Amino acid sequence: MSITLDATLKAAQDGINHRPIIEIVSSAMGDLLPAIGNYFNSQTATESEPHIISLSTGRLAVIMERAGALKYLYTPTDRSEWIEVAVTTPYALTSMDPCICELSDGNIGIVFVTSQRYLYYKIITPTGTIVTDYTQIYDAGSGNWIANPNVITLANDTYLLVYPEGTGTPPDLAETYSLKQRTSGDFTSWSAASDITPAAFSANNYCNNPYLYQVTSGRIFLFTDYLDDYTNDTELNNIYYMTSDDNGATWSAATKVTDYTAPGFSATHPTVSEKQNGDLSFMYAERSLVKSLDESMTGYPLGCFSPEGNFEFDDFNCFNYDPDTGELHIGHDNQAFTTINAATWEWKKTVSSTTIPAIRNLGICAESYTDWSVSTVTGTNDKVIQAYNHTTDEHKIYRFNSDGIVDAKSYIVDTICDYISQILVVEHDGIQKLFILHGGNERVNMGWIDLNEVIDPITGLYTYHELWDRPYPSLNITRGTLHHAAMKWDYTHDYLMTYTGPQSFTAAHPGICVWDENGTVILELSNNNHEQFPVNGARDAIYIGDDLYFSVIYDASQPDKVGLGHWRAVDGTIIFHQPTWTSDLDCNLMQFEDMGDGRILMVSNQTIDGGVVIYNTLTDSWTVYNNDTMPGFGRSDTQWEGGAKYDPITKTIFVARENEIIAFSEYGPYSVLLNTDITNIDTTIDFGEYITFSYYSFEYHPTIVYDSDNVLWGVWQHMDLSSEYSAKWINLIGDMDLTDDLVDGITIQWDVEKITQLTFTLARGHLFDAQNLMSALSPYMRKGRKIVVKLGERVGESDYLQDQGEYIITAVAMEYTTDQYPTAKVTAEDLRVLWEDTEVIATMYYESETPYNVLENVLLEHGSMEADELDIPATWENQHDLYHQFVDMNLDDIVKELLDHFGYFPFVNVSGDFEPRYIDLEKAADHTYSDTTQLVKYTPNDKYSTFINRVIVKGISHTYFEVLYEEEAITSKSGTTGWWGKKEDDTVWYSEDHNRTCRYPRLEVIQSVKEFGKFIRFAGTKGEYISDVDEDEQYCIVTIEAPNMVPTLIACIGAALLTYTFCKGSCDGGPWKPGWCSACNYAVIIELNIIIYILTGIASYAYNIWARPIGHEKRTFQAQADDEEFQNELGGKIVPVSIDDPMCYTIVSAQTVADHELSVVMAQRRRLQFEKTSHLMDEIGDIAEFVHPYSGETLKVFVSNLKRIWKIGGECIDQTEGWRIMS
Amino acid sequence: MSLGSYTFYRNPETCTYPQQRKMASVIETLGGGAYFSWGCVLPGQILELYWPGMETTMFEELITLFEADAQVVFDPDVGLSTTYNVEILSLLGDFLAPYSGAAAYKKNVKMELVIMSEVT
């Protein structure tokens, strides 16, 4: 293959005179924005109000407040690290709201506030030495308020200071507020304050956080936020700006920048910095109480939500939160599953009937806290269930056997189902279980299936673990309850709960039933068995501890039973917790969710003062979130029945309602940083489209600045989830050039059997130490960063660089010692290093797919690869369709197994794309070295080769073949019959579950009804015989036929009667008269004996059924390839190796694999090593041709290993291993 | 000649001439050889300054600069218009006890500077 180099570079590489150059760059793997940011330290003290400026020397300077004190941080001129200096401030006063500017003499001017009353300045050197200690500028007076000053150095070397001031702490519409300005020529003496409050601002509405910036033209911008509205204790702030073209002597009217009008939203803390092109970068903090999403979210499928005001219960068929991934999985009725990243509040993906992979339209969905979403399938009378795994993209179909749809390999075991009532996904005992409540007209059935079970390939069945099957009525919680109950799992006790309210078409006793994991009833609550229980049952229920809480469905006959019912485990009594926040008797409490700390999250739907509700079982207290209790919440008290979830880590409450999904946090309002450009700053001043600058949702008080290299730096206040406030910094250096810090050089090692590895060492190791938070360079060498390497030559005045790959940092090792300057030893590997840690539970089953399709699907679905990162050959050598599923393997092994089969090796090319390559030992030379000019060392060395001279490849067909096993006894039967006769068809199933199939049934009679007696035999009995065989070969019918002796018996009785009558008195003569003659006696005795014989006759029968079981097995076969020449050399000794290759479906395929493997084994016996001056067109997988240094013979070598060593100040060498090709 | 803010009271007797150094390598091959030149670089060059003797006051000036451990500007002032950002690697001198009444001084003073960059 070899790389096609630039012609000039190739000419230089072909020569012996080299001017090597290296470029090595650290890049981000993903997008720079939204930015996560970097901490300055790991301290827990609260940090706030950071302010950053760029100094004329190239340094950056930051001032911030930390726990009431001020800290100054600066960088060296190369901006490589942060150095912190404490700023002394007035004793015993809380210092806050600092701002800084670079003075005309290069020193740093600081202005700050203490106690919201005093305004101070201070001057220090750029490295923090005090020049002029803190000095008071202004005392606003007791009870007054000043805050957030901002100061800049003007182009004329004077200083402009602005700050807000008021007669009381804002917001307070009874006080007055203004924006003040002071000027100074030396930063030590300040003019009297002048009022520059825009005329449009109300005196009672405060403005805050002013930010000054003078652009190159001299125009000064003054941004500030202003309280546009204050209603119901809710601030509505927007950002305005003014301009001055006379150094602040006069200001323009205020222009509104943001236009928030909805309660709960605000724009605050504007900041701005000028780019090299003269545009401004503008940023502010957007505050919002509630995040919302609907179809307008980018990527969200249309048609999922009902029109406004037309809420349908099924709008959200499922609304699940996976705490492991932080993702919301939303299922819409008759639509799709959509995944939302809850942290970034962005659409992630949708699977529907039109996506790949496709799913069917959703019916009833399941509650799930796993990565499975489950639903019934519409159009199947709710008898088909689908399961979709959001992590693996696995899609499964389960159907009950009463459904008419033919859907191969998708059956739950033979369980009759008329319709599915409820489904629920639970992880229990390490198994992800799909519980199913289903039934028919006369029965209800409960059971579960293992979502990760692999279907039995023979039977095509999944296993249904039935918990119970009950006819009506089987419980007090009867018919209505079980058929229409909701289901919930209690993770504390591993209980399953069913509960229901009254049903219009069912009768008795709605309530709650609690089952253990085996389906045994633990607790049953209805008005029928517990007089304190509400007659209308329960709308929802949940266990908190051992107590059970449920939502009361109010009934006028029980006026004392309202709100939240509470069954107490300690004594079995029921009490009621009546909400204190509504006058409604029925609060419509539903969507119960255990918050994990004794609180229950729920919604109160369509009630007066309803909304999102939390009940604290520990304190018996309620918290309600609605527009009345949480000003700015912005949602009415209806349409809350879509679902509620809680993330205890971020303390976020997610609620699905009417036609949106909302999220809000117990930590308080969200605050994200938004950024845009301002163009035409001297004329029309145009604001562009805003982008989200910050990744997280609790980011405040940003300031930004462009450094002398036009790189944007920003600092802001970040709130951790532990409610700790920390300052963060960021720069938008996407690519960090490390070349100047390279020590020694770099080494890259490619190998057909290993992941490509890059190693190098960096100077200034302490700055590349990822644990050094004070370093501004450490983020560039964090594990997972991408290193892009280029090598080349300088030809004349031009640099010619050739890509040498992209690598992911796997390790940065360094050592701090007393005697050595720290260096960072960096190891990076190609993208396959991620695959080694990527466990794949199961891929989809690939049925008749090309290797291209299989590999692409595996990498896209399980490797998170993008299509443009793949350069997979469209057609492969020895290509054939694949029928395969990879189960429980890591991604790297999957790729290797697939490539091995076709004779390819995994390779990430120099552009960073995955490009599997064929081990082609027969192709023409890719690179010919015509002499030994570039050859440094040649070492034939076959010590690692083997003696293998036979390769056996065992394959297996992908289809099942029918096989007949040896005859075996299937079953035994026995029984009895009598004089009344018998003809019975006995159905003999070949297995108890009626699934087994057998052929050639044979009857072995152990004891036959034929042995009933002589008369019976005489009567011509047939005995036992196989009368029929099932066409599906699952049973046969054995007929047992014994004669009916009733006619014979009647005849005998008649004969006896006749004999008696005839003989009566027939022997009057002789000594017996009147009496019987002996002939008569004999006749009667015989007849009576026959009758007795018949009446007492019992015929027993016993038989065995033998048959040959029918099985389905895959056909195995093998092929072998022999190195006969080597076998002869070894005196006929065979050294075989056996390879199991499940992708060889035919003998031909196995032979192809065997031949190729043997050719590789043979080539490996001709292993050699050679070292030459580096040539950038060479790669592994190439055929290199060069001249034997002694014999002059031409050597053709398959390059299997290439170690490229470029030593700065030294030579550039390729150490190569290969297999000599004899052709 | 000056270092930082201090102009030498006495110039050194010898001083390495600041100039770029070439990073290059030659490797023998089985058929000849190959040459690799990485170009000329200035940073990293070590300048050795030597004084057979100097006054203690001058030595103390140098000690102050040395102990400040900061990058300073070195002006060779030897007909070059170029100055250099340097770090002071070492400063060594022998103590020589003065005769009674004579001024103390140091002898065999050696200072090593490493050039970090050219002052632009």
Side-chain angles (χ1 to χ4, degrees), chain A residues 1047-1079:
Chain A
T1048 306
L1049 180 63
I1050 294 171
C1052 288
I1053 293 171
L1057 290 173
L1058 285 174
T1059 303
Y1060 175 79
T1061 304
F1062 178 73
C1063 291
K1064 187 177 181 182
S1066 62
C1067 295
D1068 288 339
W1072 300 288
K1073 62 177 181 182
W1076 297 65
C1077 63
S1078 58

Side-chain angles (χ1 to χ4, degrees), chain A residues 481-500:
Chain A
T481 299
L482 291 176
H483 254 187
H484 302 279
M487 262 199 314
K488 182 170 282 184
W489 181 261
D490 170 50
Y491 274 98
T492 305
H493 307 89
D494 288 340
Y495 288 162
L496 192 66
M497 284 188 292
T498 55
Y499 50 89
T500 187

Side-chain angles (χ1 to χ4, degrees), chain A residues 16-20 22 932-933 935-936 1173 1189 1207 1209-1213, chain B residues 22-39:
Chain A
I16 60 171
N17 200 332
H18 303 284
R19 261 75 181 163
I22 299 176
T932 57
T933 304
L935 196 61
V936 177
T1173 56
K1207 188 176 178 183
E1211 58 277 5
C1212 304
I1213 294 296
Chain B
K22 174 169 280 190
M23 295 196 300
S25 176
V26 177
I27 186 170
E28 282 187 46
T29 67
L30 294 172
Y35 172 70
F36 298 88
S37 172
W38 294 78

Side-chain angles (χ1 to χ4, degrees), chain A residues 29 248 283 553 668 711 733 1035:
Chain A
M29 286 286 284
M283 188 181 295
I553 304 173
V711 172
I733 301 174
Y1035 64 86

Side-chain angles (χ1 to χ4, degrees), chain A residues 15-251:
Chain A
I16 60 171
N17 200 332
H18 303 284
R19 261 75 181 163
I21 50 176
I22 299 176
E23 181 182 290
I24 185 163
V25 171
S26 168
S27 299
M29 286 286 284
D31 297 330
L32 289 177
L33 296 177
I36 292 175
N38 308 287
Y39 292 104
F40 285 99
N41 53 61
S42 56
Q43 297 184 26
T44 56
T46 294
E47 295 173 335
S48 62
E49 307 278 358
H51 182 210
I52 188 171
I53 60 170
S54 176
L55 306 185
S56 55
T57 55
R59 296 179 193 271
L60 297 168
V62 172
I63 189 115
M64 72 171 79
E65 175 197 342
R66 183 185 300 147
L70 302 186
K71 303 295 177 185
Y72 171 75
L73 299 96
Y74 66 95
T75 70
T77 55
D78 63 359
R79 300 181 286 278
S80 59
E81 60 183 321
W82 299 101
I83 300 153
E84 182 176 304
V85 179
V87 179
T88 54
T89 54
Y91 175 71
L93 292 177
T94 300
S95 301
M96 61 183 70
D97 304 344
C99 61
I100 52 177
C101 66
E102 184 180 21
L103 305 184
S104 57
D105 61 1
N107 284 328
I108 304 298
I110 307 172
V111 174
F112 60 97
V113 170
T114 60
S115 305
Q116 293 193 340
R117 170 177 172 178
Y118 305 102
L119 196 61
Y120 282 87
Y121 78 86
K122 180 168 180 167
I123 301 174
I124 59 175
T125 66
T127 54
T129 305
I130 296 173
V131 177
T132 304
D133 208 352
Y134 57 84
T135 306
Q136 185 176 306
I137 300 175
Y138 174 58
D139 176 1
S142 177
N144 292 331
W145 169 81
I146 56 173
N148 300 309
N150 191 253
V151 64
I152 59 168
T153 304
L154 300 179
N156 63 2
D157 287 342
T158 63
Y159 307 99
L160 184 61
L161 169 67
V162 293
Y163 56 93
E165 185 173 0
T167 56
T169 303
D172 188 341
L173 298 182
E175 305 290 348
T176 58
Y177 299 95
S178 60
L179 188 61
K180 296 291 179 60
Q181 169 183 291
R182 291 171 186 264
T183 59
S184 173
D186 58 5
F187 210 77
T188 59
S189 56
W190 292 88
S191 69
S194 57
D195 191 336
I196 58 169
T197 310
F201 287 4
S202 164
N204 302 116
N205 290 21
Y206 79 117
C207 58
N208 200 0
N209 304 305
Y211 195 88
L212 290 162
Y213 196 88
Q214 186 172 34
V215 298
T216 306
S217 66
R219 168 170 285 186
I220 302 170
F221 282 83
L222 171 55
F223 291 87
T224 183
D225 54 58
Y226 169 68
L227 183 68
D228 266 338
D229 184 52
Y230 187 59
T231 304
N232 208 8
D233 294 331
T234 305
E235 291 191 46
L236 173 59
N237 308 86
N238 274 298
I239 291 173
Y240 293 73
Y241 75 86
M242 300 185 291
T243 60
S244 172
D245 294 319
D246 53 10
N247 291 327
T250 59
W251 290 94

